[in-house]
Amino acid sequence: MTADIVPVTAKLSFDSSLNVVDKSFDINAANILAENPVGSASYARLQNQGTSVAFVNDPEMNAMGLFNANTNDVTVNMALHSSPEEAASTIVHEATHQNGFFNGIPQITQYTEYQAFRNESLFQNGVRPSLDERLNIWNDFQSLCPDLPQGKYPFGGS
């Protein structure tokens, strides 16, 4: 007897708070993800882990997006996005956190934010960021969130 493998799939939802422009951005963001190898791989990881993606318009939410490991969902806050490209980039960012979580990496560190922003750069530019660009990403995030624990240092050493 062989076990049937049932694929796990993500659920995509649109909150009722979204206006017609937000919904259009969301559809365009999905197309951008599908046409970009980094975006496509990021969304595929979300689907493979059954991570739900919800688009909301929440002016009270102070983040562009969030991955909630407890509920295995990603929330994209359209109130803080000005283009479908930004929304797609946020999904890549949050998919990086989701992937790290499912690989056993604690997700609230400067290092994991660096990884997510580095992947956004790869998604946006189509090439791996140079060493100087990666150092800038690391330094920028360290100055923005000095209270987060460092986690792993991305350039060797400590």
Side-chain angles (χ1 to χ4, degrees), residues 19-104:
N19 61 39
V20 75
V21 172
D22 290 336
K23 286 180 184 176
S24 174
F25 276 13
D26 300 343
I27 292 165
N28 287 334
N31 291 332
I32 291 165
L33 287 171
E35 294 170 1
N36 179 295
V38 175
S40 180
S42 295
Y43 192 72
R45 282 194 305 274
L46 293 173
Q47 289 182 308
N48 290 338
Q49 294 293 346
T51 305
S52 297
V53 178
F55 291 92
V56 301
N57 187 330
D58 184 356
E60 300 297 316
M61 184 177 160
N62 64 356
M64 293 178 88
L66 296 170
F67 167 64
N68 185 329
N70 295 324
T71 57
N72 191 25
D73 63 33
V74 167
T75 303
V76 179
N77 185 12
M78 296 309 293
L80 299 178
H81 289 84
S82 61
S83 72
E85 292 82 8
E86 273 187 348
S89 189
T90 295
I91 291 172
V92 169
H93 181 106
E94 299 308 327
T96 304
H97 290 303
Q98 178 259 21
N99 187 51
F101 171 78
F102 278 100
N103 284 305

